[in-house]
Amino acid sequence: MLIQLYSDAATDFKQQTNGAGLLILQAQKQIQLHQPLPKHLNNHQAEFQAAIWAFQQLLKICPIPEQTTVQYFTDSRLLSDSIGKAYAKQYTTELSQLLALQDYFQLVITQWIPDRSNQGAHQQALQGLHQN
């Protein structure tokens, strides 16, 4: 089974609030979700938290994760590079948590995409931000 997963975070620096959004595409089905994130996160922390939350949500709906390939898309270069290297200088706890979630799946292919290609997850993240 192949699933495409997009995640994004939105940050309001004035209010110090954050939101997460995701888009899941699988066999003609589309799922969009959003949620507020904890306050006082910087943008990079919010991106990691959005990715962690996205994989948690995917585990809840995926019937057989060990037989599932996930194509994961993010517009955060830091997040994408950290996953690829399995190393993050400042976000080791968040990266460890994310990689542990990804281990449930048969294969996770992470790809960086430009902001304009991640609009579905971004719009959801904005909704999560406004709930905060």
Side-chain angles (χ1 to χ4, degrees):
M1 173 186 317
L2 174 66
I3 294 176
Q4 293 178 316
L5 173 64
Y6 296 76
S7 75
D8 198 17
T11 301
D12 182 331
F13 296 103
K14 274 188 182 175
Q15 305 274 334
Q16 296 185 347
T17 57
N18 303 281
L22 68 77
L23 172 64
I24 298 171
L25 302 173
Q26 180 211 0
Q28 311 295 327
K29 291 183 184 178
Q30 186 179 103
I31 298 171
Q32 297 179 8
L33 299 171
H34 60 272
Q35 109 163 1
L37 290 174
K39 294 183 178 190
H40 306 290
L41 299 177
N42 68 38
N43 188 52
H44 296 306
Q45 290 169 316
E47 290 286 355
F48 274 96
Q49 290 302 318
I52 290 166
W53 173 73
F55 274 92
Q56 289 170 338
Q57 299 311 302
L58 187 56
L59 275 171
K60 289 179 183 178
I61 64 164
C62 187
I64 311 170
E66 62 274 4
Q67 294 179 14
T68 302
T69 296
V70 179
Q71 238 182 328
Y72 173 57
F73 299 95
T74 177
D75 59 21
S76 167
R77 182 76 73 181
L78 176 67
L79 178 59
S80 173
D81 289 350
S82 296
I83 293 169
K85 296 174 186 175
Y87 172 78
K89 186 176 181 178
Q90 294 181 337
Y91 306 103
T92 55
T93 302
E94 294 91 341
L95 180 61
S96 294
Q97 190 176 359
L98 178 58
L99 293 176
L101 289 165
Q102 290 183 349
D103 283 345
Y104 285 98
F105 297 93
Q106 179 181 24
L107 176 65
V108 176
I109 302 164
T110 302
Q111 183 176 343
W112 175 84
I113 56 174
D115 292 342
R116 68 182 175 277
S117 299
N118 201 20
Q119 286 302 305
H122 182 71
Q123 291 303 316
Q124 292 299 309
L126 289 174
Q127 289 184 36
L129 176 67
H130 295 305
Q131 277 188 327
N132 212 337

